[in-house]
Amino acid sequence: MLAAIFVPFLYKSIKNIHTGWFVLAVPATLAIIYASYITRVADGKVFLEELPWIPSLDISVVSYLDGLSLLFSLMITGIGSLVVLYSIFYLDKHKEKLHNFYVYLLLFMTAMLGVVQSDHLITLYFFWELTSISSFLLIGYWYTRDASRFGALKSMMITVGGGLMMLGGFILLYLMGGTYSIRELIVMVPNLVEHPLFTWSLVLILLGAFTKSAQFPFYIWLPDAMEAPTPVSAYLHSATMVKAGIYLVARFTPIFAVSELWIWLVTGVGILTLFWGSFFAVKQTDLKGILAFSTVSQLGLIMSLLGASAVAFHDNGATDTIKFAAFAAIFHLINHATFKGSLFMIAGIVDHETGTRDIRKLGGLMSIMPISFTVAAIGSLSMAGLPPFNGFLSKEMFLTAMLALQNFEFFGFDTWGALFPIIAWIASIFTFIYSFYFVFRTFTGKYTPEKLPHKPHEAPIGMLISPMILAALVVTIFFIPNLVGDTFVKPAVQAIQPFLYDSPKDIDIHVAAWHGEITPELLMTFGIVIVGVLLFVALPKWQGIYQKFPRALTLNNAYDKIMLGLDVGLNRVSRLYMTGSMRHYLLYMFSSIAAIVIGSLFVKDAFTVSFQNTAPINPYEIILVVVLLIGTAITILAKSRLTAIIGLGAVGYTVALFFVIFNAPDLALTQLVIETISVALFLLAFYHLPKLGKREERMRFQLNRAIVSIAVGVMVTLVALSAHSQKLIPTISKYYEETVYSKAGGGNIVNVILVDYRGFDTLFEITVLAIAGMGILAMIKLRMNRKEKTHENK
Amino acid sequence: MESLILVLVGVLVAVGTYLILSKQLLRVILGTAVLSHAAHLLILTMGGLKKGNVPLLEESEGPYTDALPQALILTAIVISFAVTAFVLVLGYRAYKTNGSANFDELRGTPDE
């Protein structure tokens, strides 16, 4: 992380050495540091360190290193080193903005290490979103291309959306368990299961995992993320970021595995993704597109195995084979990281050397690029699950676990369980087909140099180092699977299934390529090879079916439609009510005020009328009321504005007379004067009307206006009547009457209140007048200035 | 008496609202004026009517009518006058600048 800060300085200061060399030291050192933990973790130890962040909220950065975290950390740093090495040769020193690239990459690496080592839910989420952001930056690295920006935005929308769901799930977990620590939550599982929020948090956390790990139907961002530079694709979209969801599922398995929903969701979605991804991978014509769909399908495989491993929590010992599931998941995770990383790098090399990734233009590169071909063949055959490569071992275990699923007597597995091996088998056939398709369409067949932008030749040795190392691993793991199994996989399995094993040494699983007898899964593998070869040979005949799928039914189309629909729909909605007309807004405001107030009056049953402590009515007042009503009627019904203004004046003077009747002399005086000036002002404004506005038209009667205004009037009356009928507190004016002479030395109570008791109001009332006067002056003056200016301009 | 005045206030509020919802700028300003009259009457009425004499020590004997609402109304009258004057000049400027006093024609610019 700190290293990321120094990268730009190095880039700027040292021009002639590729910045990547300096960066390479960081993951390599980290990998060595993590490697030193291997033996201790394999003995079942865990390491815990805590760094308080916000102690008052119980938030801290807790680093927890057990088998699962260590495996992921090693994968991140190890493959990270190889990717940095590869990118040194892949990215041009002078053409590219290297400092950006390495800053993002290191940021991503930090975030990813944070995700796998966090024991604290909130910091886990923090690092989770940091991976989303840094991967967004990396996908959009060539930001001048439209496709890059589109892919980056798409991945951002989907993964951040899922991440927010996950945060919700985390918070629910905290509410249930009262602690943010995953370790402590695992211990508390029996208390959590009965909680009503349990299922919600399960679903929300799974949404986060599925979006990040590109499961069905959220896989759509991954193929579009292939616009990133190839090192990024190799690192993020094969080995690390897409495994974050896998990690999450594995980490939370001890908590949620007790639930039937979890098992069905994880296993079902995983197997569906496996089939879907492998089926559509054959359709692709772009090398990275094939690899993207293949990544999706392999992640589905791992996901389904993790789901199956949760079954072991229910049925410990009924069958031994289901224990294989967790082991197989972790084992395949390692294998997938090795061969998929190497394949991505090969795709990048092919792109680099020929200038295209279109499989229809490529062919016959075997003799030109022998090393790349060898690596690609190793990777692909491992992906297809053939011996002597590590994919074979994990495929065998996968089929074993899937077959074992049928043997369960609960959760409906005895009826539906048979589907799993069948779907898995069909998906494996497609996997086989696209693996062969990837290698043989690229490296064998007819060599057509006229289609290629560059004249191809073997890549520089530096670019080949990383894929060669990974391919070597692919073969090595096949021959010594148990070393890997004992050191890495078993501690991780122990972390996933802590209730089954006390220490990694108790796990009695022995990986072997040949068990000495013909097992059903071996027969299935033979079937896969036979059918796969037949279908691959016949590929040109049936590849046409992919064209038959209508574009309208694809998920990408659905995503685009949703995005566009949201955009257009929300615009339409806001256009609907944001008309730009002041009257409409006022209508909304008045009607909602009236509705809310009248509604609450009746809901609360607050409306009362009592005629107690009211004054008697005199004829004078009736006359005045009638006059006032006439005045308002004139104001509202007047044909000309002049009449309306005069009506308003009548209203004002009548109000002044009311003030007289109700013993308010000061008010009456003020009201008379003010009303006079107001009317004068109105007449002034009226006089200045432009000619075209002089059409003396009668106001058009509008029903909705009338309804709303009557409602508002009724509301005011009702509220005022209710308030007046329920006077609870006596007035405080007695104090003023008693002290107005003795303390303030005045006789006019109103005036003394205005300037002595409550002088502040008066001060600012004066300010209001002053500001209004200045505003009016400014408006008139400024207009004169503008007029002069326009004259000058003319 | 109070109930009658409160109903009257309701009518005034309804009229003021109706005017404010109209198209012509001048009528809108008239509506605000009517509305402020309604508010002043409302304050006065809620303080209680004819509870006593004019609140002047030299002029009359107690009990006096409540002086506090009157002080409040006096403040409110002056403020509403200032605002009305300001809005009137603003309306006058709007005529001058836009050449129209019709609210349906006075829309914002499209990018607002």
Side-chain angles (χ1 to χ4, degrees):
Chain A
M1 183 73 192
L2 290 171
I5 300 166
F6 292 111
V7 168
F9 296 113
L10 286 170
Y11 175 74
K12 295 283 180 208
S13 55
I14 307 171
K15 283 273 186 215
N16 43 10
I17 303 177
H18 199 291
T19 322
W21 290 111
F22 300 106
V23 178
L24 183 58
V26 181
T29 335
L30 282 172
I32 291 162
I33 292 171
Y34 286 126
S36 65
Y37 286 99
I38 290 174
T39 48
R40 282 176 284 173
V41 170
D43 293 339
K45 288 201 186 70
V46 294
F47 298 89
L48 191 68
E49 277 187 27
E50 189 161 347
L51 181 81
W53 181 17
I54 311 176
S56 57
L57 293 178
D58 189 27
I59 293 179
S60 53
V61 184
V62 185
S63 162
Y64 175 75
L65 202 65
D66 63 354
L68 192 62
S69 312
L70 184 72
L71 169 68
F72 272 91
S73 307
L74 271 170
M75 234 163 55
I76 292 161
T77 49
I79 295 184
S81 317
L82 296 177
V83 163
V84 171
L85 182 66
Y86 175 79
S87 70
I88 290 174
F89 293 92
Y90 186 84
L91 293 173
D92 193 283
K93 191 160 55 180
H94 305 292
K95 284 185 207 158
E96 303 282 359
K97 292 192 171 61
L98 284 179
H99 53 309
N100 288 1
F101 181 79
Y102 286 114
V103 168
Y104 301 156
L105 199 72
L106 283 176
L107 193 68
F108 173 80
M109 208 178 285
T110 316
M112 205 58 219
L113 287 172
V115 165
V116 298
Q117 287 175 33
S118 277
D119 182 55
H120 192 285
L121 292 174
I122 301 295
T123 44
L124 173 59
Y125 172 74
F126 172 78
F127 286 118
W128 183 275
E129 290 301 31
L130 199 58
T131 60
S132 293
I133 292 166
S134 49
S135 93
F136 165 78
L137 291 169
L138 281 166
I139 295 169
Y141 175 65
W142 286 313
Y143 51 81
T144 47
R145 302 182 189 174
D146 279 348
S148 289
R149 293 203 304 273
F150 175 77
L153 194 62
K154 194 169 180 177
S155 73
M156 180 92 166
M157 294 297 278
I158 293 177
T159 53
V160 170
L164 283 173
M165 301 285 173
M166 189 183 82
L167 177 65
F170 283 174
I171 290 168
L172 290 180
L173 262 186
Y174 172 72
L175 290 177
M176 287 188 280
T179 171
Y180 283 118
S181 164
I182 300 172
R183 279 168 305 120
E184 290 165 28
L185 281 168
I186 289 175
V187 180
M188 293 168 43
V189 167
N191 316 337
L192 297 181
V193 179
E194 301 305 318
H195 204 285
L197 295 176
F198 187 74
T199 312
W200 280 106
S201 70
L202 183 155
V203 171
L204 288 171
I205 288 176
L206 268 190
L207 270 176
F210 286 169
T211 48
K212 200 75 155 182
S213 278
Q215 298 295 296
F216 185 88
F218 307 111
Y219 70 84
I220 48 174
W221 63 265
L222 193 76
D224 284 319
M226 290 303 134
E227 292 300 326
T230 305
V232 173
S233 304
Y235 188 43
L236 266 67
H237 307 127
S238 71
T240 51
M241 180 169 124
V242 289
K243 299 277 193 347
I246 301 276
Y247 168 82
L248 196 74
V249 170
R251 179 54 85 202
F252 282 91
T253 294
I255 298 179
F256 291 118
V258 289
S259 127
E260 178 186 357
L261 180 69
W262 169 271
I263 294 174
W264 271 108
L265 265 181
V266 177
T267 321
V269 171
I271 203 99
L272 179 64
T273 313
L274 164 66
F275 172 73
W276 195 271
S278 61
F279 181 68
F280 279 99
V282 189
K283 178 188 174 184
Q284 304 302 315
T285 54
D286 171 54
L287 288 182
K288 281 171 90 175
I290 297 176
L291 291 177
F293 274 95
S294 134
T295 305
V296 169
S297 93
Q298 302 279 323
L299 288 168
L301 187 151
I302 299 170
M303 202 58 102
S304 65
L305 280 173
L306 282 174
S309 75
V311 177
F313 281 76
H314 297 270
D315 196 38
N316 191 7
T319 123
D320 286 338
T321 44
I322 198 64
K323 286 185 195 170
F324 267 108
F327 190 91
I330 302 294
F331 193 57
H332 191 71
L333 186 91
I334 301 172
N335 296 343
H336 178 250
T338 53
F339 68 69
K340 193 52 63 75
S342 71
L343 285 178
F344 266 114
M345 291 177 188
I346 294 298
I349 289 172
V350 170
D351 187 14
H352 207 270
E353 300 306 324
T354 62
T356 179
R357 294 199 312 254
D358 192 331
I359 205 152
R360 289 165 300 189
K361 295 182 184 170
L362 293 165
L365 296 176
M366 191 169 23
S367 53
I368 301 165
M369 304 167 73
I371 304 177
S372 307
F373 168 69
T374 314
V375 174
I378 291 172
S380 300
L381 294 179
S382 174
M383 186 157 74
L386 296 179
F389 307 110
N390 58 8
F392 172 71
L393 302 173
S394 37
K395 183 80 71 175
E396 292 292 282
M397 281 191 279
F398 167 62
L399 292 171
T400 311
M402 287 296 131
L403 283 168
L405 271 182
Q406 308 171 68
N407 305 331
F408 287 100
E409 301 297 319
F410 53 91
F411 292 169
F413 272 107
D414 41 357
T415 43
W416 297 100
L419 279 177
F420 286 107
I422 294 168
I423 298 175
W425 189 72
I426 296 170
S428 301
I429 290 173
F430 279 106
T431 310
F432 186 91
I433 295 170
Y434 72 68
S435 306
F436 272 59
Y437 179 68
F438 178 82
V439 180
F440 292 108
R441 279 300 161 88
T442 314
F443 291 99
T444 61
K446 228 160 76 89
Y447 174 50
T448 51
E450 65 277 4
K451 283 188 190 170
L452 300 175
H454 299 308
K455 190 172 167 11
H457 52 78
E458 186 56 274
I461 189 71
M463 225 193 252
L464 284 167
I465 292 173
S466 301
M468 275 157 66
I469 292 175
L470 286 172
L473 276 176
V474 169
V475 183
T476 322
I477 292 176
F478 175 78
F479 286 112
I480 47 161
N482 288 318
L483 179 68
V484 178
D486 292 342
T487 45
F488 298 115
V489 183
K490 285 184 183 176
V493 170
Q494 204 250 327
I496 298 178
Q497 301 175 325
F499 304 122
L500 297 182
Y501 311 107
D502 297 329
S503 110
K505 297 226 182 302
D506 304 349
I507 305 173
D508 53 350
I509 299 175
H510 192 79
V511 191
W514 175 248
H515 297 286
E517 65 220 45
I518 301 290
T519 52
E521 49 269 26
L522 198 64
L523 290 174
M524 282 170 87
T525 308
F526 280 127
I528 290 170
V529 174
I530 292 162
V531 179
V533 167
L534 286 175
L535 281 177
F536 176 69
V537 172
L539 187 62
K541 291 196 176 64
W542 60 269
Q543 213 173 5
I545 62 161
Y546 286 111
Q547 308 308 323
K548 290 199 170 64
F549 281 100
R551 169 90 182 85
L553 291 180
T554 56
L555 284 165
N556 276 322
N557 195 40
Y559 168 86
D560 294 343
K561 278 269 190 307
I562 288 172
M563 282 297 167
L564 194 72
L566 274 177
D567 202 17
V568 172
L570 290 176
N571 264 329
R572 201 171 290 159
V573 168
S574 55
R575 287 235 180 75
L576 198 68
Y577 70 90
M578 299 291 286
T579 51
S581 157
M582 190 73 114
R583 292 169 51 235
H584 290 168
Y585 302 155
L586 285 169
L587 265 177
Y588 305 147
M589 285 185 227
F590 281 126
S591 52
S592 43
I593 289 170
I596 289 166
V597 173
I598 294 177
S600 54
L601 258 184
F602 285 99
V603 168
K604 292 281 177 197
D605 202 20
F607 180 66
T608 51
V609 177
S610 78
F611 295 103
Q612 291 173 347
N613 66 41
T614 50
I617 301 178
N618 292 338
Y620 295 122
E621 284 124 25
I622 293 182
I623 292 168
L624 277 183
V625 168
V626 170
V627 171
L628 192 63
L629 286 174
I630 290 169
T632 50
I634 289 172
T635 312
I636 206 165
L637 299 174
K639 283 195 174 69
S640 79
R641 291 174 195 170
L642 195 56
T643 326
I645 291 169
I646 290 167
L648 180 72
V651 171
Y653 285 137
T654 322
V655 170
L657 285 178
F658 267 119
F659 289 151
V660 170
I661 283 189
F662 296 139
N663 294 337
D666 294 303
L667 286 188
L669 282 172
T670 316
Q671 179 69 34
L672 282 171
V673 173
I674 295 278
E675 196 57 37
T676 313
I677 300 174
S678 294
V679 171
L681 272 173
F682 271 107
L683 290 174
L684 196 70
F686 175 79
Y687 175 75
H688 278 286
L689 272 179
K691 282 230 166 17
L692 66 111
K694 273 201 172 157
R695 284 172 303 156
E696 302 280 3
E697 56 174 42
R698 189 162 168 187
M699 285 174 65
R700 280 205 0 259
F701 181 78
Q702 287 170 315
L703 194 64
N704 56 1
R705 273 171 65 193
I707 290 172
V708 168
S709 44
I710 287 169
V712 173
V714 167
M715 166 194 94
V716 170
T717 306
L718 290 182
V719 171
L721 279 173
S722 311
H724 189 260
S725 309
Q726 301 171 357
K727 270 210 170 145
L728 303 174
I729 302 168
T731 174
I732 55 169
S733 295
K734 280 276 167 270
Y735 170 78
Y736 294 131
E737 290 172 21
E738 288 157 8
T739 60
V740 69
Y741 192 74
S742 56
K743 291 197 172 172
N748 184 334
I749 304 180
V750 174
N751 289 2
V752 173
I753 289 177
L754 280 177
V755 297
D756 268 346
Y757 293 113
R758 304 173 58 88
F760 256 123
D761 291 0
T762 314
L763 171 63
F764 289 108
E765 167 195 341
I766 293 165
T767 317
V768 168
L769 264 179
I771 289 173
M774 283 190 281
I776 290 166
L777 188 70
M779 275 197 290
I780 293 168
K781 281 283 175 204
L782 282 177
R783 201 196 72 223
M784 302 308 293
N785 291 348
R786 186 144 23 117
K787 265 193 176 171
E788 285 164 15
K789 272 184 191 150
T790 47
H791 278 301
E792 283 167 10
N793 290 346
K794 280 172 188 171
Chain B
M1 184 70 234
E2 278 89 345
S3 315
L4 180 69
I5 301 288
L6 288 178
V7 172
L8 182 71
V9 165
V11 173
L12 281 174
V13 168
V15 170
T17 312
Y18 188 80
L19 283 168
I20 284 176
L21 290 174
S22 68
K23 281 183 195 172
Q24 297 293 345
L25 213 146
L26 190 71
R27 283 191 205 277
V28 173
I29 303 171
L30 286 175
T32 58
V34 172
L35 211 55
S36 58
H37 287 316
H40 303 158
L41 271 179
L42 180 64
I43 296 174
L44 193 68
T45 316
M46 297 308 282
L49 298 176
K50 302 189 188 171
K51 288 272 186 306
N53 296 324
V54 181
L56 294 172
L57 292 187
E58 302 89 357
E59 301 295 319
S60 56
E61 296 296 310
Y64 300 106
T65 192
D66 202 335
L68 190 56
Q70 296 189 14
L72 295 179
I73 293 168
L74 201 53
T75 311
I77 287 175
V78 174
I79 289 173
S80 72
F81 164 71
V83 173
T84 306
F86 185 81
V87 171
L88 263 173
V89 177
L90 194 65
Y92 161 67
R93 278 295 308 273
Y95 299 148
K96 287 285 175 204
T97 325
N98 301 315
S100 159
N102 189 328
F103 257 113
D104 279 1
E105 292 166 12
L106 293 171
R107 300 276 173 111
T109 49
D111 56 348
E112 268 176 350

